[in-house]
Amino acid sequence: MNSLIQLSYFAAAVLFIMGLKRMSSPVTARGGIVWAGLGMVVATLITFLWPGMHNYAWMTLAIVVGGGLAWYTGKKVAMTDMPQMIAIYNGMGGGAAAAIAAVELLRGDFHAPTFQVLAVAGGLIGSVAFSGSMVAFAKLQGLMKRSLVFSGQQFINLAIFAAALAFGFLLMAADLPSGLNILLFFALALLFGVLMTLPIGGADMPVVISLYNALTGLAVAFEGFVLGNAAMIIAGTVVGSAGTLLTQLMAKAMNRSLGNVLFSGFGSGAAAEGEVAEQGEMKEIDATDAAVMMAYADTVIIVPGYGMAVAQAQHKIWEFVQLLENRGVTVKFAIHPVAGRMPGHMNVLLAEAGVPYDKIFDLEEINNEFEKADVALVIGANDVVNPVARSNPESPIYGMPILNADKAKNVICVKRGKGKGFSGIENALFFLDNTRMLYGSGEAVAGKLITEVKQL
Amino acid sequence: MIEGFTALYIFMLAAFTGYEVIARVPVILHTPLMSGSNFVHGIVLVGAMVAMGHADTGLEKVIGFIGVMLAAGNAVGGYVVTERMLEMFKSSKGKNK
């Protein structure tokens, strides 16, 4: 029986790695998740045969309840809300790793001191990933609007982390750790996860979620060592290293270091200082003029942002683009690496609307083409087209690579109102001479544009 | 049981594997891939099951129950969300042909 279990875990590990590999190419991606899913089913079913287990009824109930709720929420959630769902499911994984650590520590039945150390380490990391992911979820879901920043915050966080570590060492040293110490250890670790995530602004959340994803992987690997479970070790470690790399790639796309993201409290109020009031005023345009301008243009580049996705305007925009193309206009989509809420998120949203890949371009591919474009249509994007990132060293987003929409002959910005963007930074693009503002929600505006173009 | 250096070797090789698998991924797949790797660490479910299966006291059972529930959420939720995202890549490719 034992060999059968080990063989199944081996197969699961192979399926996970092959699945992830397939997921890293658009052509085979769809099959990749099915492979990985198959591995998960095999591993889960075979675990019921693990020798010497009891509590089967409750175990099955827990799987049905947890899995059922996740299935329901995962199916129902809108595509725009995907990032926070990843955060919450990831947090659950971290919590599960912490729960394993808690059970093992309570049992205190370790084969070697190394396992006790790893159990504590996995418990710490898992707890931080759990509570941190929950805060990230609350922020992205809009349940928690303000970022909490107070003086001496870093110091307090450090003190709490040190206290959690101290209790961790107590647990590692004890033969049979006391229940109170275990409780305090987990309470401090959870508290640290919350406090560490609170000051981080919404714009940086994707990087943080990716980091917690990597941390959960590591916690799972550590608990895998404790339980002597090779599938957990391999899957957890693979996710740990892949997640770390993804986190770095995301931070790099925003031209910020990970330390900067975690400790600077960007986009939370610190941005207000050093901010120069933009001079000039925003010039408005109505849908009729905008439609005429684009219908008679040679080249139009569309810069979609999260605002477009929230308004669910991508379908209407695609319809509008097809009308323009019928009139002989060349239309391209320019995607900033962090458009939407995560790298690649906007591509997913455009794919949902049916926009083909070959019309979607990365920042490097398209940035030189703005100069030749007649119109840049900015829909619900803000910080990623803010020329301040190139010109003003005082600005918090200075140095971030941006799409050069301001270099197009004409810029039309679709925007709900006159407020600032997600990061709270004034956008200099809106005040340029060649920029016209088209006010309204993305979907309403797109609807009007369609009507106007049809009437031409 | 996997002991000492064997464990270290597994850890090292798996870490390189993860790095290599992700290293040359186009930006458009970053979010689906993050979601996919989020699903893969849902394997914590098997560990949570084993931990709960060996729980004796009431407290251990309760914590084990919570652990299994959370882990099942991670695995199932991670799968559903990833599948939905990747489904779109398939449909848009179909229209392209």
Side-chain angles (χ1 to χ4, degrees):
Chain A
M1 192 53 74
N2 203 24
S3 322
L4 182 65
I5 292 174
Q6 293 306 331
L7 192 67
S8 306
Y9 284 171
F10 178 77
V14 172
L15 285 168
F16 286 153
I17 293 172
M18 306 262 289
L20 276 179
K21 183 70 203 162
R22 292 178 79 85
M23 268 184 250
S24 60
S25 152
V27 186
T28 53
R30 176 73 180 74
I33 185 66
V34 177
W35 284 42
L38 191 66
M40 190 70 75
V41 170
V42 168
T44 307
L45 288 180
I46 209 76
T47 303
F48 277 103
L49 301 176
W50 192 282
M53 294 212 307
H54 38 271
N55 305 332
Y56 282 115
W58 287 104
M59 195 183 296
T60 313
L61 181 70
I63 293 175
V64 170
V65 171
L69 280 175
W71 179 272
Y72 181 72
T73 51
K75 283 279 181 201
K76 267 197 72 169
V77 71
M79 269 299 151
T80 42
D81 293 341
M82 281 299 165
Q84 53 263 49
M85 293 321 284
I86 297 176
I88 202 166
Y89 297 140
N90 171 55
M92 292 168 98
I100 295 173
V103 171
E104 292 301 313
L105 285 167
L106 283 169
R107 282 161 49 84
D109 178 24
F110 293 103
H111 297 271
T114 331
F115 293 127
Q116 200 162 342
V117 172
L118 286 171
V120 172
L124 177 66
I125 299 170
S127 302
V128 171
F130 173 73
S131 58
S133 295
M134 292 303 149
V135 173
F137 167 79
K139 284 201 167 193
L140 286 178
Q141 189 71 21
L143 301 174
M144 202 183 282
K145 283 272 191 284
R146 300 203 49 83
S147 299
L148 182 73
V149 185
F150 51 86
S151 59
Q153 191 167 23
Q154 312 276 20
F155 178 75
I156 291 173
N157 287 1
L158 194 69
I160 289 172
F161 183 66
L165 269 187
F167 275 98
F169 282 121
L170 278 180
L171 296 184
M172 290 175 194
D175 268 347
L176 186 64
S178 83
L180 182 67
N181 282 358
I182 295 176
L183 181 71
L184 283 170
F185 167 71
F186 281 107
L188 284 166
L190 290 170
L191 182 63
F192 176 71
V194 171
L195 290 177
M196 185 180 134
T197 321
L198 275 179
I200 300 171
D204 284 332
M205 264 325 151
V207 181
V208 177
I209 294 172
S210 177
L211 178 71
Y212 287 145
N213 185 40
L215 285 182
T216 303
L218 200 60
V220 170
F222 284 176
E223 299 309 326
F225 282 116
V226 175
L227 298 169
N229 188 318
M232 278 172 74
I233 299 175
I234 295 172
T237 311
V238 165
V239 173
S241 73
T244 307
L245 182 59
L246 265 182
T247 311
Q248 284 168 346
L249 289 174
M250 286 187 191
K252 211 171 111 194
M254 297 201 283
N255 201 27
R256 315 191 54 215
S257 74
L258 193 55
N260 198 326
V261 169
L262 291 179
F263 303 116
S264 73
F266 165 75
S268 52
E273 47 186 295
E275 196 59 26
V276 189
E278 294 297 338
Q279 53 286 75
E281 55 185 291
M282 304 189 195
K283 293 162 284 288
E284 214 174 323
I285 191 173
D286 64 21
T288 317
D289 292 341
V292 170
M293 193 191 276
M294 284 185 277
Y296 291 100
D298 284 330
T299 320
V300 173
I301 299 180
I302 297 182
V303 182
Y306 188 68
M308 181 202 74
V310 171
Q312 295 288 324
Q314 60 267 39
H315 299 275
K316 285 258 171 76
I317 291 292
W318 174 227
E319 195 184 335
F320 174 63
V321 167
Q322 285 168 309
L323 285 172
L324 287 182
E325 285 182 330
N326 290 342
R327 301 180 63 94
V329 183
T330 309
V331 186
K332 291 173 177 173
F333 286 88
I335 310 283
H336 189 272
V338 292
R341 279 292 180 268
M342 288 191 200
H345 190 202
M346 188 54 64
N347 303 71
V348 171
L349 295 169
L350 288 177
E352 186 190 15
V355 179
Y357 297 135
D358 56 7
K359 297 202 186 304
I360 301 176
F361 296 88
D362 287 348
L363 183 126
E364 291 88 13
E365 291 173 321
I366 204 158
N367 240 353
N368 291 327
E369 296 190 29
F370 277 106
E371 288 167 33
K372 286 171 266 167
D374 297 301
V375 182
L377 178 64
V378 179
I379 309 169
N382 192 338
D383 297 329
V384 299
V385 288
N386 192 345
V388 160
R390 281 200 312 259
S391 60
N392 182 4
E394 297 284 300
S395 171
I397 59 167
Y398 180 71
M400 180 173 93
I402 57 159
L403 289 162
N404 298 328
D406 56 317
K407 299 209 169 148
K409 291 187 193 99
N410 297 284
V411 184
I412 299 173
C413 294
V414 179
K415 209 167 172 302
R416 283 176 71 100
K418 295 185 181 179
K420 293 175 183 177
F422 197 45
S423 63
I425 301 164
E426 197 75 75
N427 193 339
L429 176 70
F430 299 160
F431 301 94
L432 292 177
D433 285 338
N434 56 342
T435 304
R436 295 289 177 277
M437 305 301 291
L438 183 51
Y439 290 114
S441 89
E443 178 161 34
V445 167
K448 276 188 224 155
L449 288 175
I450 292 170
T451 321
E452 295 294 340
V453 170
K454 277 183 179 163
Q455 285 171 359
L456 287 174
Chain B
M1 195 55 64
I2 302 149
E3 298 288 349
F5 277 101
T6 318
L8 204 58
Y9 280 118
I10 296 179
F11 189 74
M12 184 266 292
L13 291 172
F16 274 112
T17 308
Y19 193 91
E20 279 304 311
V21 164
I22 303 288
R24 281 171 297 277
V25 175
V27 177
I28 60 163
L29 282 170
H30 278 177
T31 295
L33 205 59
M34 180 162 136
S35 179
S37 60
N38 175 37
F39 162 70
V40 166
H41 68 53
I43 189 69
V44 70
L45 176 58
V46 302
M49 288 168 71
V50 171
M52 187 186 179
H54 292 116
D56 297 315
T57 68
L59 181 62
E60 287 168 22
K61 284 180 190 170
V62 170
I63 298 173
F65 184 84
I66 295 171
V68 173
M69 204 166 67
L70 290 174
N74 181 189
V76 175
Y79 184 87
V80 172
V81 167
T82 311
E83 210 254 18
R84 276 184 61 190
M85 266 190 240
L86 293 175
E87 184 66 31
M88 284 163 195
F89 284 91
K90 188 180 144 207
S91 63
S92 68
K93 202 185 77 198
K95 276 179 205 162
N96 240 357
K97 275 179 187 166

